[in-house]
């Protein structure tokens, strides 16, 4: 790539952790705040702690969209998925030559970026959380796959090599749709069941009854995927869910954390997007339980936001 600068849009736990790990590997990285604008560029000390209680600290350049006159390099998007339409609009007004990588989970979240020429999706197999002292707590389950959505340059491996780090690992994946769906189904379980039970990610590994609830969600979503021509393995997804649950024991899923902090959730791109897809093919009865969990989380989130506004 002619310009190797990396812009990370989204200064949440994932964005901050990735910025630190990239800077450790001497990459030129800028953290772009996604939810606010018109602030001066500044330098921020960010600290990340991993599962071995190692602490990594770097000074990261932090800015907002108003300061970006041109973009050349790689744009990594780590914001909440509901921000994608606005981010796509802002990027469309900035000159430059860059590839976009969506480091987000969910279905059809790439739609706002259809007009861009080099778009990739990454399925995250990491958990990251900002704890009370502002430090980021980070856990990696395995290397996160990256695949092309709309890439006209054929530079997947080169791109992955540039964003790959020792602690936050990536790998190229030619069949990214398979992983997108597998992870979306897993997240339909995590992001609905954990916040409703108000428990951490390890609950499925620790509790067979709760794991049984997750299996119902998985079955419904796999049945839906087969109706639209995908061949997913229910048993494979169940094993992945338990593995993630075990390795993320004690971590809070993002949706539960958002509700606790009275922020909007991403449930629309998960359970409720599954329900929308089922309705779009005329078979809403395929995912009734998945939809019900999603609607309940949505209402819980709305109540939390209402409390915050009062």
């Amino acid at each position: 790539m002619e310009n190797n600068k990396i812009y990370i849009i989204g200064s949440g736990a994932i964005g901050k952790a990735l910025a630190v790990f990239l800077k450790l590997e001497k990459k030129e990285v800028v953290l772009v705040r996604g939810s606010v604008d018109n602030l001066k560029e500044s330098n921020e000390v960010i600290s990340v702690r991993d599962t071995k209680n190692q602490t990594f600290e770097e000074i990261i350049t932090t800015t907002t969209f108003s300061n970006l006159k041109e973009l050349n390099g790689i744009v990594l998007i780590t914001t909440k998925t509901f921000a994608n339409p606005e981010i796509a609009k802002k990027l469309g007004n900035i000159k430059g030559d860059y590839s976009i990588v969506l480091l987000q989970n969910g279905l059809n979240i790439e739609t706002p970026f259809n007009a861009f020429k080099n778009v990739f999706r990454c399925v995250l197999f990491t958990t990251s959380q900002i704890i009370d002292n502002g430090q980021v707590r980070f856990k990696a389950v395995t290397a996160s796959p990256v695949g092309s959505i709309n890439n006209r340059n054929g530079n997947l491996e080169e791109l992955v090599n540039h964003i790959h780090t020792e602690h936050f690992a990536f790998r190229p994946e030619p069949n990214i749709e398979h992983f997108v769906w597998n992870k979306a189904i897993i997240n339909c379980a995590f992001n609905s069941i954990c916040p409703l039970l108000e428990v951490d990610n390890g609950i499925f590994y620790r509790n067979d009854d709760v794991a049984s609830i997750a299996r119902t969600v998985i079955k419904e979503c796999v049945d839906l995927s087969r109706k639209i021509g995908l061949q997913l393995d229910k048993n494979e997804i169940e094993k992945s869910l338990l593995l993630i649950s075990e390795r993320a024991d004690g971590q809070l899923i993002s949706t539960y954390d958002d509700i606790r902090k009275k922020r909007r959730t991403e449930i629309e791109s998960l359970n409720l997007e599954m329900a929308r897809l089922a309705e779009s093919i005329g078979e809403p009865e395929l995912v009734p339980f998945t939809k019900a969990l999603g609607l309940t989380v949505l209402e819980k989130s709305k109540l939390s936001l209402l409390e915050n506004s009062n």
Side-chain angles (χ1 to χ4, degrees), residues 5 25 187:
K5 197 166 187 177
E25 305 218 359
N187 276 72

Side-chain angles (χ1 to χ4, degrees), residues 78-97:
T78 68
T79 58
K80 299 294 185 181
T81 54
F82 54 75
N84 284 1
E86 183 62 23
I87 289 172
K89 181 179 178 182
K90 289 180 178 181
L91 287 175
N93 293 326
I94 300 175
K95 297 179 181 179
D97 183 16

Side-chain angles (χ1 to χ4, degrees), residues 91-107:
L91 287 175
N93 293 326
I94 300 175
K95 297 179 181 179
D97 183 16
Y98 52 89
S99 298
I100 296 172
V101 186
L102 305 178
L103 284 83
Q104 303 164 313
N105 294 315
L107 294 180

Side-chain angles (χ1 to χ4, degrees), residues 140-159:
V141 177
T142 187
S144 296
V146 180
S148 173
I149 296 297
N150 179 14
N151 172 28
R152 300 171 190 172
N153 293 338
N155 59 341
L156 174 60
E157 289 196 13
E158 182 184 1
L159 179 143

Side-chain angles (χ1 to χ4, degrees), residues 110-125:
E110 66 275 6
T111 302
F113 301 93
N114 284 344
F116 292 82
K117 63 180 182 179
N118 293 310
V119 182
F120 301 82
R121 279 211 58 175
C122 171
V123 177
L124 289 172
F125 286 103

